[in-house]
Amino acid sequence: MRYSKQREAILRVVNASNVHPTAEMVYREVKKEIPNISLGTVYRNLNALADASQIKRISIPKDVDHFDHRHVEHYHFCCTKCHQLYDLPGSTIHQLIHRLEQEESVRITDYEVLFYGICQKCQKGKEENYGIKRK
Amino acid sequence: MRYSKQREAILRVVNASNVHPTAEMVYREVKKEIPNISLGTVYRNLNALADASQIKRISIPKDVDHFDHRHVEHYHFCCTKCHQLYDLPGSTIHQLIHRLEQEESVRITDYEVLFYGICQKCQKGKEENYGIKRK
DNA sequence: GTATCTGCAAAGAATTTGCAATCCT
DNA sequence: AGGATTGCAAATTCTTTGCAGATAC
């Protein structure tokens, strides 16, 4: 994979973000720096970076894909009320992975744990919809 | 939700299937029974059934959505070589859910655990691609 | 009777792709 | 130089939706 300033900027934006950006969000952000970048380029690079395991793709029912850096192990939590995507800490999953690899004879190289529920804010009644439409 | 023979057949197909069918697969299967059913009806009903928690939607990176019955608790495993979707047994996740609910003050109502890796068949070199294209 | 559901076809939304020009190394 | 990458726009793919007629209750 050859260097390009577009890809460098895209990776930087995903790494710096704490909101699990979508392709569109990354596009809007990178545009500030490279105004004539195209959305196609953003998609191409997000795919390339995900294939190279430099970022992680999060697929969510009824929503477009989100992308995430891979700095720390964590789970994802999707609030079914405000449709916001949060991180949940933890890496308890490794024991489970080990057990499954033994018992099921598969080799596990990656995982995605997605919880659904009601976030703290929405439980308190402060429900907000951050413009994320329900598919 | 009112009865319809279309929805009944769709639910029956998902419940009877052991391959986590896509909307298209369900459509092809139900068509054997109700030849003039439309794909739109299949989509509408899969959505309605998933909203009613009668079936589960599985969103996978670079693949269309799959649907699954909810008979037993299990995880999903996606082989990155043959792109086949398998079940993995277990429900170890409940302790984790409990802990996270306490510590993070969220209410968790559902979850999806998706592992990636190489399935048994592909490890043995018998890799097959079941016509599931890579997005 | 009437609200829900269906089939059909068209629309919509997200993502990919072909191509000529440009950029890395 | 030469292959990778880009911007642009068109194409593709999956899914949703509007509507008129059919169906459930």
Side-chain angles (χ1 to χ4, degrees):
Chain A
M1 196 152 51
R2 195 149 79 176
Y3 170 86
S4 83
K5 72 169 191 284
Q6 288 87 345
R7 185 178 312 117
E8 193 266 327
I10 287 164
L11 179 57
R12 188 154 28 76
V13 163
V14 174
N15 279 338
S17 172
N18 57 339
V19 298
H20 316 91
T22 63
E24 191 64 40
M25 288 167 171
V26 173
Y27 174 61
R28 285 203 301 271
E29 193 60 30
V30 174
K31 229 172 163 22
K32 294 176 186 170
E33 184 178 334
I34 309 173
N36 73 323
I37 195 171
S38 77
L39 185 54
T41 295
V42 172
Y43 272 106
R44 259 189 300 234
N45 280 302
L46 288 171
N47 283 339
L49 290 166
D51 285 351
S53 298
Q54 295 195 251
I55 61 175
K56 186 160 184 166
R57 180 194 302 270
I58 315 169
S59 287
I60 298 171
K62 306 262 100 185
D63 196 359
V64 300
D65 283 356
H66 290 245
F67 294 87
D68 196 9
H69 62 72
R70 312 203 52 140
H71 300 152
V72 284
E73 301 276 334
H74 58 274
Y75 312 123
H76 291 117
F77 175 86
C78 179
C79 178
T80 52
K81 212 161 183 179
C82 67
H83 303 104
Q84 184 78 323
L85 194 57
Y86 296 93
D87 286 341
L88 290 182
S91 56
T92 325
I93 207 160
H94 289 110
Q95 310 153 36
L96 173 56
I97 287 178
H98 187 70
R99 205 197 73 210
L100 288 171
E101 284 190 319
Q102 298 300 313
E103 290 175 7
E104 302 298 317
S105 305
V106 292
R107 185 144 52 87
I108 293 172
T109 55
D110 201 1
Y111 65 87
E112 171 62 24
V113 181
L114 186 55
F115 295 104
Y116 302 98
I118 311 290
C119 75
Q120 218 175 336
K121 258 186 202 154
C122 287
Q123 282 181 66
K124 289 181 185 151
K126 296 183 180 175
E127 67 184 277
E128 295 170 46
N129 187 310
Y130 294 79
I132 294 148
K133 65 141 188 293
R134 195 107 188 270
K135 235 195 240 166
Chain B
M1 194 153 51
R2 197 146 79 176
Y3 171 85
S4 83
K5 72 169 192 283
Q6 288 85 346
R7 184 178 313 117
E8 192 267 326
I10 287 164
L11 179 57
R12 188 154 28 75
V13 163
V14 174
N15 279 338
S17 172
N18 58 339
V19 298
H20 316 91
T22 63
E24 191 65 41
M25 288 168 171
V26 172
Y27 174 62
R28 285 203 302 270
E29 194 60 29
V30 174
K31 228 171 165 20
K32 292 177 187 169
E33 184 178 335
I34 308 172
N36 72 323
I37 196 172
S38 77
L39 184 54
T41 295
V42 172
Y43 272 106
R44 259 189 299 237
N45 281 303
L46 288 172
N47 284 338
L49 291 167
D51 285 350
S53 298
Q54 294 194 253
I55 61 175
K56 186 159 185 168
R57 179 194 302 272
I58 315 168
S59 288
I60 299 172
K62 307 262 98 186
D63 197 358
V64 300
D65 283 356
H66 291 245
F67 295 87
D68 197 10
H69 61 72
R70 312 203 51 140
H71 300 153
V72 284
E73 302 276 335
H74 59 273
Y75 312 123
H76 291 116
F77 175 86
C78 179
C79 179
T80 52
K81 212 162 182 178
C82 67
H83 303 105
Q84 184 78 321
L85 194 57
Y86 297 94
D87 286 340
L88 289 182
S91 55
T92 324
I93 207 159
H94 290 110
Q95 309 153 38
L96 174 56
I97 286 178
H98 188 70
R99 207 197 70 210
L100 288 170
E101 285 190 319
Q102 298 301 313
E103 290 175 8
E104 302 297 317
S105 305
V106 292
R107 185 144 52 84
I108 293 173
T109 55
D110 201 0
Y111 65 86
E112 171 63 24
V113 181
L114 186 55
F115 294 105
Y116 302 97
I118 311 290
C119 74
Q120 217 175 337
K121 258 185 200 154
C122 286
Q123 282 180 65
K124 289 181 183 150
K126 294 183 180 175
E127 69 184 276
E128 294 169 48
N129 186 310
Y130 293 80
I132 296 150
K133 62 141 187 295
R134 195 111 188 267
K135 237 196 240 159

